[in-house]
């Protein structure tokens, strides 16, 4: 930097000296060439007479060097008027831009000095006005005159680039001289004066790869075949120097980062020649087997690689796709494999660039190949049916055990295990079929009806005997073949009407009054065409005849005229319908024909049975009376039945005495055999019945069992013991009578009973004088009580 400052100072002084000399010479020439302003005559030394001109004062354009740093103000120039005789009476005045601040004038001598350092880059020139006045009166002696002070440039500004850093791209393997980027610098110095602003560009860093044009700043490639894969980025330093690049000039630099862009100049290459893969035979199509990858140093679309299978015995079994995210070739299974059939496959896979640059086609084929060997691994496979589905046929109504068809499956593994078959019962809920677990024969269990179900869709399982988890399933469609087992019938419930003789439009001879058709549940092969006919016994029916229309319909015709509703209002015409099956079936259907009635005027009244009743001569009032009588009879019958049911009949009625007061159904025990009179019946009512609980009521037998001969009714003073014995004998000998006199559970015991409580099991251990041995004679119904209340000797014997 110090050396640079010395050079600048020397140059400035040299310029200043040259400027002063040139100014002095020009001033001298000007003074000699311009005469006095006022034109007065003076004598020269040689006696010549000089004539004064009218020009008042002399001045010239002035220059001042910028950036002057001397101790004294720099002299810019001098103003002088012709009328100035040097006696000091003239005063020079300076005005204008920078007057008095930057530029000052000696009002006596007219010398102009610059008191401040000037910078041309801030202001290149100043316009000033000079005037000569009388010092005493300030009267202008000369008119004002403008002049310019120009700031003389020096090389004080170094070149500056527009950007501190530049970034540029150029394709790799570009030719020498390929333009990369143009850098531009500017110099603030005056380009019209000297070489201060004349710039020259040069490269400081980046050789020998790049060069720069000295005058334009264009950077170009300097080496051929620069490879991005070898080096992608370069840093270049460019210098701009003024003074035409000569010594002493100022300079500036900038950095340029140049990146080589990629081109497709490299083919893909596999890192190995053979890939080994394996896949299970149980793999499903579409499953990934393995991956291969060819490396391409190019990037972007230039590095895109597509994979394909071009040869090999596994072209039909495998396929390859490209994973563009990883640039890998994905080998996938295309078809199902079978280890027992083929255990290995070989593929030849090719990797090729998707985009090829024609400029570099000479570099060779942009593709590569590799061998892929795939080994098939054995897997435990389920059984396989010989067909993916089966369709069988069986005739309807076939006998149970009829063979429908046979399915067959095998174990694809080398072990060839035995197979067992079964029907999926979810598909055969009605259990129409059964399959032989050993050989796969399907048979019927029950007869099939096509009209109920024409197709049966079932599924059959096949499992290995020793590996129950290995199973296969196959769908089976069973068609029920139709047989002619349904006779044709009327398509609808036909009912025809013909008008009587008194009607205005009475039936006339061979009039067609109804067309009938038939329907057959069998298949079309066993159904139409239908044949209609009359039975042989009525083929000569005098009233109606039948005509077969041969289009599965028939017409019924009237064979006579003058039908009378009073004589016969209803005709039943049997019609025989036969189908076209083998063998044909027929059925006899009855057509109901009603004769319509008309009034005396011939107008149609009705064709129903009620119309005929009206014509019989009964009025509306008579019909209402008949209906009222019927209703009254029904009401009487209902009342009679109701009253009869409400009447309470005793179980057995005695001829002389009704003992219902002594024998009553109640739930309390009562007062014993001595409590037979003067007791309150209300007290012995069923206590549960009061609370809403209805006890069991024994059902009375449909017919009354007659008392056996020799059994007389009990007298008025009947003993309870005798009464009970009599009823027990009757009940034991009557097979139709329910046990009315069964032992009850009483809730009321009463008072005065010597027997005590019958419901207490402890009564057998009490000291009682009563003898219950007679219970042994009451029959099997009282055997349990006889065992409980028998004599003590009996218990002692048992113990």
């Amino acid at each position: 930097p110090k050396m640079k400052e010395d050079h600048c100072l020397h140059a400035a002084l040299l310029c200043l000296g040259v400027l002063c000399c040139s100014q002095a010479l020009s001033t001298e020439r000007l003074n000699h060439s311009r005469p006095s302003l006022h034109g007065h005559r003076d004598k020269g030394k040689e006696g010549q007479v000089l004539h004064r001109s009218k020009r008042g004062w002399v001045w010239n354009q002035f220059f001042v060097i910028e950036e002057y740093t001397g101790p004294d103000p720099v002299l810019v120039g001098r103003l002088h008027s012709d009328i100035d005789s040097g006696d000091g009476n003239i005063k020079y005045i300076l005005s204008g831009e920078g007057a008095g601040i930057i530029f000052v004038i000696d009002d006596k001598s007219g010398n102009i000095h610059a008191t401040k350092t000037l910078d041309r880059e801030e202001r290149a020139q100043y316009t000033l006005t000079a005037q000569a006045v009388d010092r005493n009166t300030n009267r202008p002696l000369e008119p004002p005159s403008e002049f310019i002070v120009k700031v003389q440039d020096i090389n004080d500004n170094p070149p500056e680039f527009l950007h501190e850093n530049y970034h540029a791209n150029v394709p790799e393997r570009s030719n020498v001289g390929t333009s990369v980027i143009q850098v531009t610098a500017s110099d603030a110095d005056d380009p019209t004066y000297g070489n201060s602003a004349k710039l020259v560009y040069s490269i400081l860093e980046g050789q020998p790869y790049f060069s720069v044009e000295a005058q334009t700043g264009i950077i170009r490639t300097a080496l051929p075949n620069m490879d991005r894969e070898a080096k992608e980025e370069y840093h270049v330093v460019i210098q701009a120097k003024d003074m035409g690049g000569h010594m002493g000039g100022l300079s500036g630099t900038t950095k340029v980062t140049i990146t080589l862009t990629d081109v497709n100049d490299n083919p893909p290459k596999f890192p190995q020649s053979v890939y080994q893969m394996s896949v299970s035979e149980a793999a499903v199509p579409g499953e990934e087997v393995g991956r291969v990858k060819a490396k391409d140093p190019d990037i972007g679309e230039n590095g895109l690689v597509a994979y394909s299978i071009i040869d090999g015995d596994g072209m039909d079994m495998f396929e390859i796709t490209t994973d563009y995210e990883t640039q890998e070739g994905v080998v996938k299974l295309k078809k199902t494999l079978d280890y027992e059939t083929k255990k290995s496959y070989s593929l030849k896979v090719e990797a090729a660039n998707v985009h090829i640059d024609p400029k570099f086609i000479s570099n060779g084929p942009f593709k590569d190949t590799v061998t892929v060997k795939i080994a098939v691994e054995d897997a435990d496979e389920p059984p396989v049916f010989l067909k993916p589905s089966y369709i069988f046929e069986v005739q309807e109504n076939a006998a149970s055990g009829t063979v429908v068809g046979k399915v067959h499956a095998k174990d694809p593994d080398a072990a060839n295990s035995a197979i067992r078959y079964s029907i999926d019962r979810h598909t055969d809920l009605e259990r129409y079929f059964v399959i032989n677990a050993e050989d796969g024969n399907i048979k019927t269990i029950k007869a099939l009806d096509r009209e109920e179900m024409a197709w049966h869709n079932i599924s059959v399982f096949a499992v290995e005997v020793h590996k129950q988890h290995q199973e296969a399933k196959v769908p089976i469609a069973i068609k029920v073949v139709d047989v002619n087992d349904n006779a044709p019938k009327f398509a609808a419930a036909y009912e025809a009407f013909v008008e009587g003789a008194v009607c205005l439009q009475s039936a006339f001879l061979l009039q067609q009054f109804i067309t009938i058709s038939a329907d057959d549940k069998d298949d079309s092969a066993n159904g139409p065409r239908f044949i209609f006919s009359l039975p042989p016994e009525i083929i000569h029916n005098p009233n109606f005849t039948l005509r077969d229309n041969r289009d599965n319909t028939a017409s019924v015709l009237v064979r006579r005229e003058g039908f009378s509703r009073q004589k016969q209002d209803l005709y039943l015409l049997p019609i025989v319908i036969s189908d076209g099956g083998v063998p044909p079936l027929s059925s006899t259907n009855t057509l109901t024909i009603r004769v319509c009635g008309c009034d005396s005027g011939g107008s149609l009244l009705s064709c129903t049975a009620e119309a005929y009743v009206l014509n019989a001569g009964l009025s509306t009032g008579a019909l209402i009376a008949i209906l009222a009588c019927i209703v009254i009879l029904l009401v009487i019958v209902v009342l009679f039945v109701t009253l009869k049911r409400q009447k309470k009949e005793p179980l057995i009625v005695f001829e002389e005495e009704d003992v219902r007061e002594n024998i009553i159904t109640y739930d309390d025990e009562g007062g014993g055999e001595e409590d037979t009179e003067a007791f309150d019946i209300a007290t012995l009512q069923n206590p549960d019945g009061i609370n809403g609980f209805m006890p069991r009521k024994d059902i009375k037998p449909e017919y009354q069992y007659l008392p056996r001969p020799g059994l007389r009714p009990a007298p008025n003073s009947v003993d309870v013991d005798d009464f009970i014995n009599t009823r027990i004998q009757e009940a034991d000998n009557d097979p139709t009578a329910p046990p009315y006199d069964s032992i009850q559970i009483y809730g009321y015991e009463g008072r005065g009973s010597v027997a005590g409580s019958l419901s207490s099991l402890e009564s057998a251990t009490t000291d009682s004088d009563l003898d219950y041995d007679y219970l042994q004679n009451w029959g099997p119904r009282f055997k349990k009580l006889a065992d409980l209340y028998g004599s003590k000797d009996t218990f002692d014997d048992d113990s």
Side-chain angles (χ1 to χ4, degrees):
K2 184 176 181 181
M3 184 179 293
K4 186 180 292 186
E5 292 179 359
D6 293 341
H7 290 166
C8 294
L9 182 60
H10 292 163
L13 294 176
L14 180 62
C15 293
L16 182 62
V18 172
L19 181 62
C20 291
C21 293
S22 61
Q23 183 177 357
L25 292 175
S26 61
T27 302
E28 184 178 357
R29 287 196 301 268
L30 185 60
N31 290 334
H32 284 295
S33 61
R34 292 183 178 181
S36 174
L37 179 63
H38 298 287
H40 59 273
R41 297 174 180 269
D42 291 333
K43 285 187 178 181
K45 294 180 179 179
E46 297 179 356
Q48 295 180 355
V49 179
L50 300 176
H51 299 278
R52 186 191 306 271
S53 67
K54 293 183 178 181
R55 196 166 62 87
W57 53 300
V58 180
W59 59 274
N60 196 3
Q61 184 176 8
F62 302 113
F63 295 89
V64 60
I65 297 177
E66 67 169 337
E67 303 293 345
Y68 176 73
T69 57
D72 299 326
V74 60
L75 177 63
V76 179
R78 181 183 180 188
L79 296 179
H80 181 73
S81 177
D82 292 343
I83 62 175
D84 186 4
S85 59
D87 55 2
N89 292 326
I90 294 178
K91 180 180 179 181
Y92 293 98
I93 299 175
L94 184 65
S95 63
E97 298 174 347
I101 299 175
I102 300 176
F103 302 100
V104 295
I105 188 171
D106 188 348
D107 59 354
K108 292 182 179 180
S109 63
N111 291 331
I112 300 174
H113 292 84
T115 60
K116 293 185 177 181
T117 302
L118 302 180
D119 188 357
R120 189 200 67 83
E121 287 71 35
E122 293 182 1
R123 190 162 190 153
Q125 64 183 19
Y126 297 87
T127 301
L128 300 174
T129 301
Q131 190 175 17
V133 299
D134 185 89
R135 183 179 295 275
N136 297 322
T137 62
N138 287 331
R139 180 177 60 84
L141 301 178
E142 296 285 350
S145 178
E146 287 187 353
F147 65 95
I148 296 174
V149 177
K150 285 190 174 183
V151 180
Q152 190 71 42
D153 182 52
I154 64 173
N155 189 17
D156 60 341
N157 291 281
E160 293 183 358
F161 286 93
L162 299 180
H163 303 285
E164 183 178 356
N165 294 287
Y166 289 84
H167 295 275
N169 297 323
V170 63
E172 65 173 332
R173 299 189 181 277
S174 297
N175 296 327
V176 175
T178 301
S179 176
V180 179
I181 191 176
Q182 182 178 13
V183 294
T184 303
S186 61
D187 196 321
D189 293 328
D190 188 1
T192 63
Y193 180 79
N195 294 326
S196 299
K198 185 177 181 181
L199 304 180
V200 174
Y201 299 93
S202 60
I203 184 169
L204 300 182
E205 295 181 13
Q207 296 174 331
Y209 305 104
F210 300 95
S211 63
V212 63
E213 292 184 357
Q215 305 301 324
T216 61
I218 297 176
I219 301 174
R220 300 181 182 274
T221 58
L223 287 180
N225 299 324
M226 285 191 293
D227 191 3
R228 184 199 66 84
E229 288 74 29
K231 186 176 182 180
E232 183 176 6
E233 193 172 83
Y234 295 85
H235 298 281
V236 179
V237 178
I238 302 296
Q239 174 183 268
K241 190 174 184 180
D242 57 14
M243 298 299 293
H246 294 93
M247 184 179 296
L250 303 179
S251 64
T253 60
T254 186
K255 293 181 179 180
V256 182
T257 302
I258 301 176
T259 303
L260 297 183
T261 58
D262 184 62
V263 297
N264 191 10
D265 58 341
N266 295 283
K269 292 291 183 182
F270 284 103
Q272 59 195 70
S273 59
V274 178
Y275 284 86
Q276 299 285 347
M277 300 179 184
S278 61
V279 60
S280 172
E281 65 171 337
V284 297
E287 186 173 334
E288 180 178 330
V289 178
R291 293 184 175 227
V292 297
K293 184 175 183 179
K295 295 183 179 180
D296 191 332
D298 296 323
I299 59 175
E301 66 176 13
N302 297 317
L304 294 179
V305 178
Y307 298 88
S308 61
I309 300 175
I310 60 175
D311 197 6
D313 57 359
M315 293 183 65
D316 296 335
M317 306 301 295
F318 300 92
E319 62 182 355
I320 190 168
T321 59
T322 303
D323 186 348
Y324 287 102
E325 293 184 359
T326 61
Q327 290 298 305
E328 293 177 321
V330 183
V331 180
K332 296 182 179 180
L333 184 62
K334 189 176 181 181
K335 295 181 180 180
T336 304
L337 300 174
D338 187 6
Y339 173 81
E340 289 72 25
T341 303
K342 191 174 179 62
K343 296 179 176 58
S344 64
Y345 294 89
S346 178
L347 302 175
K348 188 175 183 180
V349 177
E350 180 183 80
N353 278 135
V354 178
H355 304 282
I356 299 177
D357 194 340
K359 297 179 181 178
F360 305 101
I361 195 69
S362 60
N363 289 3
F366 285 81
K367 57 186 177 180
D368 194 15
T369 59
V370 70
T371 300
V372 178
K373 293 184 178 181
I374 303 174
V376 181
E377 298 177 348
D378 189 21
D380 189 7
E381 301 174 87
V384 178
F385 283 94
L386 299 185
K387 295 181 180 180
S389 62
Y390 291 85
I391 298 178
F392 297 133
E393 293 183 355
V394 61
Q395 285 191 346
E396 66 173 329
N397 301 326
S400 176
T402 301
V403 177
V404 177
K406 182 179 181 180
V407 297
H408 183 68
K410 65 176 183 178
D411 183 10
D413 297 326
N416 194 17
S417 301
I419 306 298
R420 293 292 181 268
Y421 304 93
S422 63
I423 294 178
D424 183 2
R425 288 304 171 187
H426 293 90
T427 60
D428 185 25
L429 298 176
E430 299 297 331
R431 294 185 176 269
Y432 288 105
F433 306 97
V434 66
I435 189 170
N436 189 308
E438 302 292 337
D439 56 13
N441 276 321
I442 301 175
K443 297 180 181 181
T444 60
I445 300 178
K446 58 179 72 174
L448 305 178
D449 188 1
R450 190 202 68 85
E451 288 71 37
E452 180 180 347
M453 185 180 295
W455 285 87
H456 294 265
N457 297 306
I458 65 174
S459 298
V460 171
F461 290 111
V463 298
E464 297 181 14
V465 175
H466 302 293
K467 299 175 182 178
Q468 298 294 329
H469 64 282
Q470 294 291 355
E471 67 176 13
K473 187 177 182 180
V474 66
I476 300 174
I478 301 175
K479 179 181 179 182
V480 182
V481 180
D482 183 51
V483 296
N484 194 17
D485 59 346
N486 291 279
K489 297 180 181 180
F490 277 158
Y494 292 106
E495 188 175 13
F497 303 93
V498 294
E499 297 182 0
V502 296
C503 297
L504 295 176
Q505 297 181 355
S506 61
F508 55 86
L509 188 61
L510 296 181
Q511 175 189 357
Q512 174 182 338
F513 63 92
I514 188 172
T515 300
I516 59 175
S517 62
D519 187 16
D520 196 330
K521 294 183 179 180
D522 292 324
D523 197 5
S524 58
N526 293 315
R529 124 162 164 76
F530 298 121
I531 300 174
F532 299 86
S533 62
L534 295 176
E537 60 270 14
I538 63 167
I539 194 169
H540 300 293
N541 188 303
N543 300 317
F544 307 99
T545 186
L546 185 69
R547 182 178 65 197
D548 193 342
N549 297 326
R550 298 183 180 276
D551 59 354
N552 296 324
T553 63
S555 300
V556 181
L557 308 177
V558 177
R559 209 166 191 176
R560 68 180 180 87
E561 299 178 353
F563 287 91
S564 175
R565 182 176 179 82
Q566 285 72 20
K567 291 183 179 180
Q568 186 175 352
D569 65 337
L570 181 66
Y571 293 90
L572 299 177
L573 180 64
I575 299 175
V576 179
I577 308 175
S578 302
D579 59 19
V582 180
L585 294 180
S586 63
S587 65
T588 301
N589 301 263
T590 302
L591 176 64
T592 302
I593 303 173
R594 296 185 182 275
V595 180
C596 299
C598 299
D599 58 11
S600 59
S603 299
L604 182 66
L605 289 178
S606 177
C607 296
T608 61
E610 288 76 8
Y612 175 73
V613 174
L614 290 175
N615 293 334
L618 293 178
S619 63
T620 305
L623 291 176
I624 293 176
I626 293 173
L627 292 177
C629 293
I630 293 174
V631 171
I632 291 173
L633 290 175
L634 291 175
V635 171
I636 293 174
V637 172
V638 170
L639 291 175
F640 178 76
V641 173
T642 304
L643 293 175
K644 188 175 181 181
R645 288 184 177 180
Q646 289 181 352
K647 184 178 179 181
K648 187 175 182 182
E649 295 182 0
L651 183 61
I652 298 177
V653 181
F654 291 92
E655 295 178 359
E656 298 178 359
E657 181 182 10
D658 188 359
V659 294
R660 284 179 295 174
E661 282 187 344
N662 295 322
I663 303 302
I664 189 169
T665 302
Y666 52 86
D667 289 344
D668 53 359
E669 186 175 357
E673 58 269 22
E674 296 180 1
D675 188 10
T676 58
E677 57 186 11
F679 59 87
D680 188 4
I681 298 299
T683 307
L684 301 178
Q685 294 296 328
N686 180 15
D688 293 333
I690 299 175
N691 298 327
F693 172 78
M694 299 301 295
R696 177 180 63 84
K697 290 184 179 181
D698 295 321
I699 301 173
K700 184 179 180 181
E702 295 181 359
Y703 60 93
Q704 183 68 37
Y705 176 74
L706 296 177
R708 296 178 60 185
L711 294 177
R712 297 180 181 179
N716 293 334
S717 60
V718 63
D719 186 63
V720 176
D721 189 10
D722 296 334
F723 175 78
I724 293 176
N725 290 330
T726 302
R727 296 300 179 263
I728 288 174
Q729 292 180 8
E730 292 178 0
D732 291 339
N733 296 317
D734 186 3
T736 61
Y740 291 100
D741 296 321
S742 58
I743 300 301
Q744 304 292 331
I745 298 175
Y746 301 106
Y748 175 74
E749 186 175 354
R751 285 180 280 180
S753 176
V754 183
S757 176
L758 292 177
S759 62
S760 175
L761 297 178
E762 297 177 356
S763 60
T765 60
T766 58
D767 297 333
S768 178
D769 296 335
L770 295 179
D771 185 10
Y772 295 100
D773 293 338
Y774 60 87
L775 292 176
Q776 301 289 342
N777 300 325
W778 284 16
R781 297 177 182 270
F782 293 90
K783 186 177 184 301
K784 187 65 177 177
L785 285 176
D787 294 339
L788 293 175
Y789 295 95
S791 62
K792 297 182 179 180
D793 298 336
T794 304
F795 290 104
D796 296 338
D797 295 340
D798 295 339
S799 61

